Amino acid sequence: MLQFDQVSKSYPGGFVALDRISFRLEKGEMAFLTGHSGAGKSTLLKLISLIERPSAGRVLINDIELSRIKRSQIPFVRRDVGIIFQNHRLLMNHTVFDNVALPLVIEGFTGKEMVKRVHAALDKVGLLDKVRCLPATLSGGEQQRVGIARAVVNKPPLLLADEPTGNLDPDLSKDTMRVFEAFNQVGVSVLVATHDLGLVARMKYRTLTLKHGRMINDGLLQYQEPV
Ligand code: ADP
Ligand code: ADP
């Protein structure tokens, strides 16, 4: 599904945010991406979502090398990648329905098919009863789930989340992770960037660990809860 092959990223000024990163995420696999603040997690996700370009190496989605695609093809690759942001980035003066429908509107969906898909996405995150609400009337956890519904509404095979539990308490964080697990269980590949090591260790998934732009671990995380 996703492959990094010796990928480096230097920002203007020469700062090396990622240093020769290689890994594969198989179709239907779920993994965490962790590391200290500034380790390169967001940069890695930005390379997948084509917000940034690598300075060296190759990023492939479904065997398509992202640096080789034409700009006109970018929307088609982006369609395969659902992205969940920490701060939701919801349109606050639009209803939950409108927020979730946005990716479909961009793709030209209308009428019954659009309504059906929006309702299906909201159902998956348990928010069908909030379809007519404005985001401001929802709790932080519910707003996060609206963001997830929007990311999955056009059924991307790959889901990326950048610190999705950053603003949530431990119970809500766990709920959010259960939502990702549910998508993973129906075949979606999931990559979740988080610095919440306690949560990561409890979930028992493959964990990619970055430190100063280098991959220092790839496997189950061994972590002792602080006492
Ligand atoms: P993380 O998500 O793990 O906190 P980031 O990928 O956001 O890490 O950042 C990695 C490093 O790259 C940080 O030192 C950050 O300051 C730097 N960085 C991120 N974005 C830019 C940018 N647009 N220009 C210059 N440096 C950047
Ligand atoms: P950019 O916006 O970076 O120039 P484009 O994809 O728009 O990227 O165009 C790159 C080149 O490829 C242009 O010469 C364009 O005419 C050509 N091109 C774009 N799309 C197609 C296509 N579907 N078939 C053939 N050539 C194309």
Side-chain angles (χ1 to χ4, degrees), residues 40-56:
K41 304 181 293 295
S42 297
T43 298
L44 192 151
L45 296 185
K46 283 177 186 165
L47 295 177
I48 304 168
S49 49
L50 291 153
I51 295 166
E52 294 284 355
R53 297 272 181 161
S55 313

Side-chain angles (χ1 to χ4, degrees), residues 126-143:
L127 279 183
L128 209 41
D129 54 331
K130 305 286 185 189
V131 63
R132 292 285 153 213
C133 295
L134 289 173
T137 67
L138 304 180
S139 71
E142 289 169 337
Q143 291 183 23

